[in-house]
Amino acid sequence: MKLLLVGGTGLVGSEVLKRALAEPGIETLVVPSRRKLAISHAKLVAPLVDFDALPPDAAWWQVDAAICTLGTTIRTAGSREAFRKVDHDYPLAVARLAKAHGASRLAVVTAKGANRRSPFFYSRVKGELEADLTALDFPSLTLVRPGLIGGERSERRAGEDVAKRVLAVLGPVLPRSWRVNPASTIAQALLAAVVDGHPGRRIVESAALA
């Protein structure tokens, strides 16, 4: 399999990257990124890109499957418009180009509570992304909806850190849907989705990732 991974420098994406490079069934891993990756590997292709001007005819788009783990916060992005660009526009653009070049399998991280009719902006953007990806009609589409993601991020998210500590203590008595979802578990679900290639649209809820 030739696999495209977008978001390979983030918390979940870096876990997917590590697992994909160790997966015998993946012959080539394409990881477009804004900055040079810190690792090298015989089956790794890492083109530098501008997500605002993705090259539509690059040969590396020709893959069997794609995984997208792009995501930010409104605070980090700086505005609602910038957040929507990273969490909706970029993943959708990647999915369109991958499908146009032959990809038949797609797995994407969205979020628990994703709903395009949600009164909450974050959940609404994630829901709109899910709807737009579904409309692309991939033969195999998996939408992974984690809650709070466990792991060490490169940037601090103070509120998230506090929530993680609280949930870590309460985890054993909480419903599975409220527990922290480890980045490694999310990564495994994404990789399994594209390797297995179950037909149709499938949603993996946070309870299955605890």
Side-chain angles (χ1 to χ4, degrees), residues 48-113:
L48 294 178
V49 299
D50 177 356
F51 282 98
D52 287 313
L54 289 168
D57 298 318
W60 47 260
W61 284 115
Q62 296 175 9
V63 295
D64 303 296
I67 293 175
C68 181
T69 64
L70 285 175
T72 187
T73 64
I74 296 175
R75 181 175 181 178
T76 300
S79 68
R80 286 189 168 195
E81 292 73 18
F83 168 80
R84 181 180 174 81
K85 180 182 288 188
V86 174
D87 279 58
H88 175 277
D89 298 353
Y90 291 168
L92 184 58
V94 165
R96 282 173 172 159
L97 285 167
K99 188 170 190 292
H101 287 81
S104 61
R105 305 174 183 186
L106 175 67
V108 179
V109 175
T110 62
K112 178 181 177 181

Side-chain angles (χ1 to χ4, degrees), residues 19 68 72 74 100 122-123 129 154 161 178 185 188 202:
R19 290 167 181 267
C68 181
T72 187
I74 296 175
Y122 178 87
S123 298
L129 173 61
S154 58
D161 290 343
W178 285 92
T185 304
Q188 183 56 40
R202 189 167 67 103

